[in-house]
């Protein structure tokens, strides 16, 4: 596995030190430090959105949910549904916190509205 170099927060760092005449009465003496702010990016925390298997939700309903809320093709949605059916749990997508939370709420509301016990959860990566 190759590692992508990590970046930190924006930093202001010394880039040079120049001699300055001491004793000019301004209370600073000796060295002036020149700084530069380097823009840095921070990667957001990511969350998996998972569907859980149950014995009652119809397979066709789960396929519809995966197509509708996770923008998958019928073929991919069917693969995901069968994976969940056979393994108990499966991933529908990976999102930032707020998007993942929205997906979970949308799926849970939709399942409740149709009186299916389908469960959708999120998990920090
Ligand atoms: N196990 C369900 C059935 O046999 C189908 C199912 C698949 C339910 C995936 C939930 O997340 C799920 N009807």
């Amino acid at each position: 596995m190759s590692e992508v170099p990590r970046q930190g927060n924006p930093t202001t760092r010394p880039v040079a030190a120049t001699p300055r005449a001491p004793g000019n009465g301004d209370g600073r003496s000796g060295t002036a430090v020149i700084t530069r702010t380097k823009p840095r990016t921070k990667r957001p925390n990511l969350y998996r959105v998972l569907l859980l298997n149950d014995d009652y939700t119809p397979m066709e309903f789960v396929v519809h949910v995966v197509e509708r809320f996770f923008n998958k093709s019928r073929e991919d949605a069917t693969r995901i549904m069968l994976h969940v059916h056979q393994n108990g749990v499966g991933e529908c997508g990976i999102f930032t916190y707020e998007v993942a939370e929205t997906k979970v709420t949308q799926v849970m509301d939709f399942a409740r509205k149709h009186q299916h016990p389908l469960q959708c959860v999120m998990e920090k990566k």
Side-chain angles (χ1 to χ4, degrees), residues 107-120:
V107 171
M108 295 297 287
D109 287 353
F110 191 68
R112 193 173 307 115
K113 177 170 134 187
H114 291 272
Q115 301 190 308
H116 295 308
L118 180 64
Q119 296 291 303
C120 183

Side-chain angles (χ1 to χ4, degrees), residues 61-99:
F61 182 81
V62 178
V63 172
H64 177 68
V65 162
V66 177
E67 288 183 286
R68 177 171 173 150
F69 296 108
F70 299 96
N71 308 312
K72 300 293 189 189
S73 66
R74 175 148 285 254
E75 293 69 32
D76 284 352
T78 301
R79 266 191 285 278
I80 290 168
M81 182 281 295
L82 285 174
H83 177 95
V84 176
H85 178 69
Q86 289 159 7
N87 297 276
V89 61
E91 182 182 293
C92 297
I94 300 174
F95 308 97
T96 56
Y97 184 87
E98 286 192 352
V99 175

Side-chain angles (χ1 to χ4, degrees), residues 51-54 57 59 62 81 84-85 118:
L51 282 180
L52 308 184
N53 190 38
D54 66 70
T57 304
M59 290 186 175
V62 178
M81 182 281 295
V84 176
H85 178 69
L118 180 64

